[in-house]
Amino acid sequence: ERRVVAAAGNPRAMGSDSRKRPLMGSEDDNVVREGTTVVLYAGHTNIKTVWARSGEIIGHRHGAYHGEDLVGKQFGGYVRPRAPHATKRKRNARGRREQETMQLGGAAAILPVTPELWAEAVDHRTQITFALDNNLVVSHLHLKPGSVVLESGTGSGSLTMFLARTVAPHGQVHTFEFNQARHAAAVEDFKRAGVSAVVSANHGDVCKNGFGDELNGKADAVFLDLPCPWLAIPHALKALKPFARICTFSPCIEQVQRSCELMAQLGFTMIRTITVTLREQRVFRVAGLLPPCVKRAAEAFPEATTTSAPEAASAEAPQQAESISAEPNGATSSETQPDVVPLDDSGNPVFPPEFSFRLQDKFEQVSALTSAPFDRHSGHTGYLTFAYAPFSA
């Protein structure tokens, strides 16, 4: 799919170990090395992150991929699962029959990990924010390299990866998760993704205990993805710098109303709620037939485009009547075929039935790129509320 390959083509830095791709363990960023985390892309709805390690067997809907088959391959290449081989007979250059061995199973593209692909492939331990939401959060929180961000509600780490890429290499993301199992899984994911130098994963309940005294007054932005964000807003106010930004993500409008009321009471300003909907398009090529009269008219009479279709049809009608004559036997000769086909009120050519087949022989085959929405979209209903912290000394 073009959108995924394009998103993975130029990833920005997410950690301090590497300025281009922190997931790579070598200077050669285009080659998969031992222990590298990669993305297997087998379709729009079939994206998976795997660990390229020798001896590792990766289960997939297309079959079993082996880690050693990934090591040494270039990003952008393909890998096939190991499966029983099938043979087919074919003739060689001398005309003799011989057997050709084929490998069964679907091919998957090998791509480097980026936050966009991570959001599509990560295990959904909780409801996640997708790439469109994450990019909006990063933009409206005014983040830049070197910023300090606090996040409550690590979940699957989808947004954390976007925050880490933005603030790297000298910034820091402090993320908090109250569930022990999700916290442990997130720590392992950040280690595999190579962002541990930028992300500090903490286990704790921010609604009760806050972010810690050591972070008071040091945060450039705070993001809250909690069932009751209004319980954590007072703690976020202590951690925020003057006039810093805060964002809450809530699936219900009642949560938004309660959070906005508390923000206004605490002195937050420019409170704004945004909701976004993702509509991705697939690009494909369509083919059709171009009537010769359309091409000749466009080349010979460019000023005719200013004439309305009904006027053009009425002006051409007498000419068509004079140019069409019947043979004695009732047939129509090819020499009397009209050069210009009349147009209807919508501007579409109107072909007389007796000339339709002969005109089609002169049609020119043309093709063009177009787009249509995917039949399935990854998304959810959610509200992002942004505000500025009070400006105080």
Side-chain angles (χ1 to χ4, degrees), residues 131-362:
L132 185 61
D133 302 302
N134 296 336
N135 284 307
L136 191 67
V137 170
V138 169
S139 174
H140 282 260
L141 288 182
H142 304 167
L143 300 180
K144 60 184 183 299
S147 298
V148 177
V149 189
L150 307 184
E151 177 193 16
S152 180
T154 306
S156 300
S158 172
L159 176 62
T160 311
M161 299 290 287
F162 280 81
L163 298 176
R165 180 179 65 178
T166 304
V167 304
H170 305 300
Q172 193 71 27
V173 178
H174 299 272
T175 180
F176 293 78
E177 174 60 51
F178 77 95
N179 184 279
Q180 178 63 45
R182 291 198 293 264
H183 165 71
V187 170
E188 184 65 21
D189 287 344
F190 298 150
K191 181 180 178 181
R192 289 178 53 190
V195 297
S196 298
V198 182
V199 177
S200 175
N202 304 274
H203 175 240
D205 189 350
V206 172
C207 295
K208 293 182 178 180
N209 306 319
F211 295 97
D213 296 337
E214 65 278 5
L215 294 176
N216 286 346
K218 296 183 179 180
D220 297 293
V222 171
F223 178 82
L224 303 177
D225 184 3
L226 302 169
C228 303
W230 53 87
L231 298 179
I233 291 177
H235 301 291
L237 180 58
K238 296 179 182 179
L240 286 169
K241 296 178 180 179
F243 215 58
R245 294 283 278 171
I246 186 174
C247 175
T248 65
F249 175 80
S250 302
C252 301
I253 192 63
E254 291 80 8
Q255 296 170 305
V256 176
Q257 292 173 342
R258 191 164 179 177
S259 298
C260 291
E261 291 175 357
L262 181 59
M263 287 183 186
Q265 294 175 7
L266 295 178
F268 285 88
T269 58
M270 299 183 66
I271 303 173
R272 183 185 182 188
T273 299
I274 302 174
T275 182
V276 292
T277 302
L278 180 66
R279 293 285 291 175
E280 292 181 298
Q281 301 279 326
R282 58 186 179 93
V283 180
F284 57 96
R285 186 174 292 277
V286 294
L289 296 175
L290 179 66
C293 58
V294 176
K295 183 178 181 180
R296 289 197 300 269
E299 294 176 351
F301 305 102
E303 67 278 1
T305 55
T306 59
T307 305
S308 62
E311 294 176 357
S314 60
E316 294 166 359
Q319 180 181 357
Q320 298 300 327
E322 296 175 0
S323 62
I324 300 175
S325 61
E327 293 284 333
N329 58 0
T332 304
S333 63
S334 59
E335 292 78 12
T336 60
Q337 289 183 5
D339 292 333
V340 180
V341 176
L343 306 178
D344 60 14
D345 294 342
S346 301
N348 300 317
V350 179
F351 299 110
E354 61 271 19
F355 295 115
S356 59
F357 293 102
R358 297 183 180 182
L359 287 174
Q360 289 179 9
D361 294 338
K362 297 183 179 181

